[in-house]
């Protein structure tokens, strides 16, 4: 599996998802597809665009980017909370907005995940980075961790969330054991 420090949504310290009831928690890392960093003006743009934007959801075969997210500390809840992991993209606001992300648009999500699936070291999301929506030229990407209103987690953290290329999954991990010793 290929990893890049600039393509991680959650810092190496991880991220706790314990919060108030019904509050969506954004990832503690935002990926700038330009590589400059949030709030930094583009050093050079080819063409006549005033702000940078690209379609990061393109790739051929195994080179297509995939978002992977795994649990650190197992999740616990006292009120039947579920977790939805959403990949969001935003355009650059340009000089007038200090080169900050504009409105976030969800392009992929896991759907509600029950707390029984959110065990330690479990991979809970493998999201394909789909081509962007028409009219959206994003510069920034983040994950949004959502819980339904009126519910929350009393324990739980994300250990890793980032872009991976060429996953090295063990294909026979869940295979039936067809032999005895």
């Amino acid at each position: 599996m290929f990893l890049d420090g600039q393509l991680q949504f959650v810092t190496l310290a991880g991220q706790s998802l314990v919060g108030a009831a019904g509050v969506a928690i954004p990832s503690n890392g935002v990926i700038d597809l330009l590589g400059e960093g949030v709030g930094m003006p583009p050093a050079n743009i080819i063409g006549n665009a005033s702000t940078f934007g690209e379609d990061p959801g393109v790739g051929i075969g195994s080179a297509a980017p995939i978002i992977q997210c795994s649990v650190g500390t197992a999740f616990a809840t006292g009120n039947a909370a579920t977790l939805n992991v959403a990949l969001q993209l935003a355009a650059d606001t340009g000089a007038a907005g200090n080169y900050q992300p504009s409105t976030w648009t969800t392009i992929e999500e896991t759907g509600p995940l029950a707390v029984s699936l959110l065990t330690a070291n479990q991979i809970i999301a493998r999201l394909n980075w789909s081509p962007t929506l028409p009219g959206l030229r994003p510069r920034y990407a983040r994950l949004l961790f959502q819980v339904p209103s009126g519910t929350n987690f009393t324990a739980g953290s994300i250990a890793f969330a980032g872009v991976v290329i060429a996953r090295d999954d063990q294909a026979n991990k869940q295979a039936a054991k067809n032999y005895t010793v």
Side-chain angles (χ1 to χ4, degrees), residues 25-112:
I25 301 172
S27 57
N28 59 16
V30 172
I31 294 176
D32 180 359
L33 301 173
L34 182 58
E36 302 285 337
V38 176
M40 299 297 296
N44 191 5
I45 299 176
I46 297 172
N48 58 5
S50 59
T51 57
F52 174 82
E54 70 170 320
D55 186 353
V58 294
I60 299 172
S62 64
I66 297 171
I67 311 305
Q68 184 168 305
C69 183
S70 61
V71 173
T73 305
F75 283 71
T77 180
N79 49 20
T82 59
L83 178 65
N84 181 52
V85 181
L87 172 62
Q88 296 186 319
L89 300 176
D92 187 353
T93 58
N98 290 328
Y99 301 99
Q100 297 295 314
S102 64
T103 304
W104 291 100
T105 302
T106 298
I107 63 164
E108 291 284 337
E109 56 188 330
T110 60

Side-chain angles (χ1 to χ4, degrees), residues 117-155:
L117 300 174
L118 305 175
T119 58
N121 303 318
Q122 183 67 34
I123 295 172
I124 58 170
R126 284 198 179 111
L127 302 171
N128 292 320
W129 201 318
S130 298
T132 59
L133 303 170
L136 177 63
R137 293 183 56 240
R139 174 178 172 181
Y140 302 106
R142 76 172 185 185
L143 291 180
L144 185 64
F145 303 103
Q146 302 166 307
V147 295
S149 68
T151 65
N152 66 323
F153 294 108
T154 55

